[in-house]
Amino acid sequence: MPRSRLAEAVREIRAVSVRHDVPVFTLAHAADGNLHPIIVVDPALPGLPDAAWEAAGEIFALALRLGGTLTGEHGVGVLKRQWVADELGPAAHALQRRLKEAFDPRGILNPGKCL
């Protein structure tokens, strides 16, 4: 995320948190543009509540709208899987999938993850 947009991003993430009544804590190394919004849910629940999914979608859309990315260092696992194509576009997403298949044809490296 451009550092010039960090304050705006933090304000909007807070608004998403309030709107969906889902605690979101934004932390990590924001000085270099990396925000890590953590959506807090009860670990005893069998899955993520709809409000958490909706908040995540809004936060990811916000990151892209402000010129950021969904991930800058950790890759895409389970949570961000449904939004990664929005960021990459169809051609780049297909290329990423082909690269993963080329290097991991049996799907044993980081199984169950997206890219």
Side-chain angles (χ1 to χ4, degrees):
M1 164 119 23
R3 289 187 310 245
S4 63
R5 309 291 302 267
L6 290 177
E8 180 182 359
V10 171
R11 280 192 303 274
E12 290 197 39
I13 290 169
R14 178 66 187 136
V16 168
S17 174
V18 170
R19 188 167 42 258
H20 291 284
D21 194 28
V22 175
V24 180
F25 297 93
T26 304
L27 52 115
H29 38 104
D32 66 0
N34 283 298
L35 295 179
H36 293 267
I38 308 298
I39 299 171
V40 180
V41 296
D42 183 348
L45 294 174
L48 286 177
D50 289 343
W53 283 110
E54 292 165 10
E58 286 188 32
I59 290 168
F60 298 149
L62 168 68
L64 296 177
R65 188 174 78 246
L66 295 181
T69 181
L70 299 183
T71 183
E73 60 187 272
H74 298 293
V76 176
V78 176
L79 178 65
K80 298 174 187 173
R81 176 188 334 228
Q82 68 189 52
W83 292 281
V84 72
D86 293 340
E87 176 176 357
L88 296 176
H93 188 240
L95 174 62
Q96 291 284 336
R97 301 296 300 157
R98 287 193 309 273
L99 287 169
K100 181 169 178 14
E101 176 64 25
F103 287 102
D104 184 22
R106 294 183 295 159
I108 61 173
L109 302 174
N110 211 5
K113 304 302 187 257
C114 183
L115 297 173

